[in-house]
Amino acid sequence: MIKYFIRRTLLTIPTMFLCITIIFFCLRVVPGDPALIMLGENATPEAVEGLHKAMGLDKPIWEQYLTFLNDTLQGDFGKSIYSEKSVSKQLIEAFPHTFNLALMSIFIACIIGIPLGIVSARKHNTLFDDGLRVVSLIVLAAPAFLVGIFLLIVFSVQIPLFPSMGVGNGFFEKIYYLILPSITIGTGIAAALIRFMSSSMIEEINKDYIRTVRAKGIPEKLVFYKHALRNSLIPVVTVIGLNMTGLLSGAVIIEMIFSRPGLGSLALDAIFARDFPVVQGSLILFMLIVIIVNLLVDLSYSLLNPRIRQS
Amino acid sequence: MQTNETPNLSTMKEINPATNKTSSNSFIDWKAFRKNRLGLVSLFVIIFFVLLALTAKWIVPYDPLTQNLLEKFQGISKEHWLGTDLNGRDILSRIIYGTRISLLIALCTVMLGATVGFAIGIIAGYKGGLLDDILMRMMDAIMTFPLLLFALMLLMVLDSGMTALVIVISVGMIPGSARIARGTTLDIKDREFVKAAKSMGSSHLRIVLTHILPNIITSLLVVATMNMSLVIMTEAGLSFLGVGISPPTPTWGNMIRDGFTFITLKPSLALYPGIALTILVIALNLLGDALRDAVDPHLKGQKK
């Protein structure tokens, strides 16, 4: 068990290393001089050269790469070109907002997705099940930004129930501000969850041990909720893991629509301002989150299902 | 359709067209596909969109770029079926032209991504060993990037435009295809007919081209269909953020972006292209599901 944990954790190191390398080379080797892009076409040669020196761009590429790797490993992503603020500080400030959004979205996805998934499995091949499948298909296909825009219009502009921007202060106000954005992201995940949950439940209910339980004369409700449900909850963890990259991509757009500070809007603003250090830093943090979540999903998966550990 | 619904592509490496015993090169069971009503309907919807895109020049009632400020923000009327936008341009014509861009980008992107991904997957699976490890870890690394941010970052350094957009989004399509191709290759390369070919002195290239590739081509079709909806959504998202195809070219993302500015005044500006986008994505998802079911031998066994 501990051996598996250690092995799986160590396996993330080459992936992280590769990610950092890809980000570095994407921003350096592709055509275009970062300094020139940042300063604009009309920059004086002196200014470009000065920025080259400041960013270390005058050194050979491998030396830049080693410095970059060294700094990154120490959590130093440099300074923002415009605000002169330390990138790691900006990332730490923005992180909680996105974290809250992600947590709340997953929560909403679970409270919608799990019960509906169970109902869809119980009423398999009925009109209700078909209807649910159509709705989840539409929700899965509608782009998050469209859903977000219309939630914003209906529930914050036309009927002023919820705030249209900001994050609020204090626990309850924060949750209040989170409701619309996290419904936007959460319903998309819920749609995937319903389909996943329902198919795993149907698969579970057809297994031998359920037949045994039924043969013993246990009431059908108990068979469903006590025995089958427990085992079919495992995929929920997987769905959340699989949706993590989608969730973070969604956060970029949702944070923009609802004018929330956070990693997404930080990265987006930096991209439009061509603020390279901030872009680099936020991309690395994004990738780190995804890798860590995938690791946690794998580990919890092996905790939930002992069969995986052995293989 | 109900039996194995996993939206994630990585699970698709279980697809193994080779175990399907049909003798022709096509491993899609068209008989099974024809029975899938949802799949058929979505196929017709997609054909409809493709026809719209191909004939856009002749069927649009108005030029999508011609501005007519006297007629701006009109509602639904006989002259303008879906009304006009902020510059008095006909919305229906713009949506039809937008179909063109969306489908063209989706097709190019998916083909490019799948080709590169399949090449990587076949090499990794066929060669095995260290090369396999390195290539697949790279795929894992790319998979951890949120596609949208990754595309935004690359579009920042490259010049934005159609070609850049296609290349950038296709990078996100590579890992999924590579995994599927690798899985199938691993499965096929140890089978008797490949061994026989090897012992008869076939070169590696010949084995890949005549034995492995035909077995993977069908998966390509399924992956391509499933990825197309993802590409269309990403492209619309990028256009919405303002880094995709630049206006005034009518794309659905651009139209939604324009609509967002006037959302309180006229929500239908963003709604109509959004509906078109949603319908196309649903159809592509359903068609992908149907094709997968028609290919996947596991599912077929369960249905009969």
Side-chain angles (χ1 to χ4, degrees):
Chain A
M1 186 71 196
I2 294 169
K3 223 171 149 190
Y4 172 81
F5 270 46
I6 294 172
R7 211 174 66 100
R8 181 64 188 77
T9 313
L10 285 179
L11 266 177
T12 56
I13 293 174
T15 315
M16 274 186 208
F17 176 75
L18 263 169
C19 284
I20 295 173
T21 311
I22 293 174
I23 291 176
F24 175 82
F25 282 102
C26 275
L27 286 174
R28 293 298 145 81
V29 179
V30 284
D33 179 351
L36 204 63
I37 292 174
M38 272 185 284
L39 292 170
E41 298 284 321
N42 303 322
T44 57
E46 291 83 35
V48 173
E49 209 165 293
L51 195 60
H52 268 191
K53 272 229 171 81
M55 289 174 71
L57 288 172
D58 50 343
K59 292 179 190 131
I61 191 103
W62 60 268
E63 208 178 313
Q64 286 180 41
Y65 175 62
L66 288 182
T67 329
F68 173 70
L69 211 60
N70 189 29
D71 288 349
T72 307
L73 288 177
Q74 291 173 6
D76 175 12
F77 299 114
K79 274 183 189 156
S80 158
I81 292 174
Y82 296 97
S83 62
E84 298 270 306
K85 266 168 89 181
S86 141
V87 174
S88 9
K89 212 178 222 165
Q90 279 181 295
L91 291 176
I92 292 169
E93 275 167 24
F95 179 73
H97 299 302
T98 307
F99 182 75
N100 291 345
L101 179 64
L103 214 62
M104 184 79 171
S105 308
I106 291 172
F107 175 71
I108 287 186
C110 287
I111 56 170
I112 301 174
I114 295 177
L116 283 180
I118 297 170
V119 175
S120 155
R122 285 212 67 167
K123 308 208 182 244
H124 186 49
N125 280 340
T126 61
L127 202 64
F128 180 81
D129 181 32
D130 287 341
L132 202 61
R133 195 154 54 236
V134 172
V135 172
S136 61
L137 262 174
I138 295 172
V139 174
L140 262 182
F145 55 91
L146 202 65
V147 179
I149 292 172
F150 281 94
L151 282 178
L152 187 74
I153 288 315
V154 177
F155 293 107
S156 148
V157 179
Q158 309 279 4
I159 317 163
L161 274 178
F162 295 100
S164 65
M165 56 189 296
V167 283
N169 299 308
F171 183 72
F172 289 105
E173 205 181 85
K174 269 191 181 142
I175 289 192
Y176 178 56
Y177 275 76
L178 269 173
I179 292 176
L180 281 189
S182 48
I183 284 180
T184 315
I185 304 181
T187 41
I189 304 176
L193 201 55
I194 292 174
R195 298 174 73 172
F196 225 96
M197 187 74 206
S198 141
S199 61
S200 95
M201 197 93 178
I202 290 165
E203 196 181 308
E204 208 61 39
I205 210 81
N206 287 325
K207 283 193 177 158
D208 289 346
Y209 77 95
I210 291 289
R211 202 190 309 144
T212 315
V213 175
R214 275 186 179 147
K216 285 200 295 190
I218 308 275
E220 190 63 13
K221 269 200 175 141
L222 216 60
V223 173
F224 229 91
Y225 293 111
K226 196 177 161 210
H227 296 273
L229 181 61
R230 228 186 252 174
N231 283 320
S232 38
L233 273 177
I234 298 174
V236 174
V237 183
T238 328
V239 173
I240 292 166
L242 290 178
N243 278 295
M244 206 55 209
T245 43
L247 209 155
L248 290 176
S249 289
V252 177
I253 287 181
I254 298 306
E255 283 175 356
M256 178 204 146
I257 292 175
F258 290 96
S259 324
R260 291 174 56 86
L263 284 181
S265 45
L266 181 71
L268 201 61
D269 289 346
I271 284 172
F272 286 124
R274 306 197 178 282
D275 195 341
F276 274 76
V278 181
V279 176
Q280 248 170 26
S282 38
L283 270 170
I284 291 174
L285 186 60
F286 264 107
M287 148 224 112
L288 213 72
I289 296 171
V290 174
I291 291 177
I292 290 174
V293 170
N294 282 340
L295 176 70
L296 290 178
V297 166
D298 272 9
L299 294 184
S300 61
Y301 210 71
S302 76
L303 272 180
L304 291 168
N305 188 353
R307 268 170 292 183
I308 293 171
R309 255 174 276 156
Q310 284 151 13
S311 59
Chain B
M1 225 200 91
Q2 304 91 323
T3 25
N4 185 17
E5 290 185 339
T6 40
N8 179 286
L9 286 174
S10 65
T11 51
M12 285 191 38
K13 61 186 161 198
E14 286 149 33
I15 289 184
N16 177 12
T19 48
N20 194 328
K21 291 287 188 299
T22 42
S23 54
S24 71
N25 264 344
S26 159
F27 294 96
I28 290 185
D29 187 345
W30 291 109
K31 256 186 204 156
F33 180 76
R34 259 195 309 235
K35 276 186 200 145
N36 190 331
R37 254 185 246 146
L38 271 177
L40 272 185
V41 172
S42 30
L43 183 63
F44 284 122
V45 171
I46 292 163
I47 291 175
F48 174 71
F49 272 109
V50 172
L51 285 178
L52 271 189
L54 288 177
T55 57
K57 231 184 206 162
W58 300 287
I59 58 168
V60 284
Y62 296 88
D63 183 80
L65 295 176
T66 308
Q67 305 190 354
N68 186 350
L69 294 175
L70 291 174
E71 292 187 351
K72 66 177 180 182
F73 294 129
Q74 280 191 0
I76 291 174
S77 65
K78 237 185 207 166
E79 288 80 36
H80 298 282
W81 287 6
L82 294 180
T84 56
D85 70 357
L86 69 151
N87 289 322
R89 294 172 295 197
D90 183 54
I91 291 179
L92 182 66
S93 309
R94 285 178 70 76
I95 289 182
I96 293 174
Y97 262 89
T99 317
R100 228 180 163 154
I101 308 254
S102 284
L103 281 176
L104 188 65
I105 289 180
L107 202 69
C108 297
T109 308
V110 159
M111 281 304 145
L112 184 64
T115 313
V116 176
F118 273 48
I120 292 176
I122 291 175
I123 293 171
Y126 193 77
K127 284 273 168 197
L130 187 67
L131 187 66
D132 181 23
D133 276 341
I134 293 174
L135 285 175
M136 290 332 276
R137 287 297 84 72
M138 271 179 85
M139 296 297 109
D140 286 350
I142 295 179
M143 265 190 155
T144 61
F145 290 124
L147 182 54
L148 195 80
L149 264 188
F150 187 59
L152 273 172
M153 179 190 83
L154 284 177
L155 285 174
M156 175 179 81
V157 271
L158 299 164
D159 286 323
S160 69
M162 185 98 151
T163 325
L165 200 64
V166 167
I167 293 173
V168 166
I169 307 179
S170 67
V171 173
M173 302 292 115
I174 293 175
S177 330
R179 283 187 170 192
I180 293 161
R182 178 177 172 269
T184 318
T185 311
L186 276 182
D187 189 72
I188 295 170
K189 86 170 175 183
D190 287 327
R191 301 188 34 177
E192 283 80 8
F193 64 90
V194 176
K195 280 184 190 153
K198 249 184 212 163
S199 64
M200 280 160 72
S202 293
S203 65
H204 293 306
L205 188 69
R206 192 184 153 81
I207 290 175
V208 168
L209 287 181
T210 57
H211 296 293
I212 294 178
L213 208 56
N215 282 298
I216 297 179
I217 280 300
T218 343
S219 324
L220 181 81
L221 195 62
V222 180
V223 181
T225 320
M226 291 190 146
N227 276 348
M228 266 179 101
S229 57
L230 191 66
V231 175
I232 289 176
M233 287 233 257
T234 309
E235 184 267 319
L238 287 170
S239 291
F240 176 71
L241 291 173
V243 288
I245 307 284
S246 45
T249 312
T251 71
W252 293 344
N254 280 345
M255 293 178 74
I256 296 173
R257 181 186 168 81
D258 287 348
F260 186 43
T261 327
F262 298 95
I263 193 90
T264 38
L265 193 68
K266 205 161 174 277
S268 59
L269 281 186
L271 189 62
Y272 294 141
I275 291 175
L277 179 74
T278 310
I279 292 175
L280 183 57
V281 171
I282 293 177
L284 283 167
N285 283 344
L286 284 174
L287 183 69
D289 277 355
L291 283 176
R292 186 193 56 196
D293 289 357
V295 167
D296 197 333
H298 300 290
L299 291 175
K300 218 191 299 166
Q302 279 170 18
K303 270 182 188 159
K304 276 172 190 167

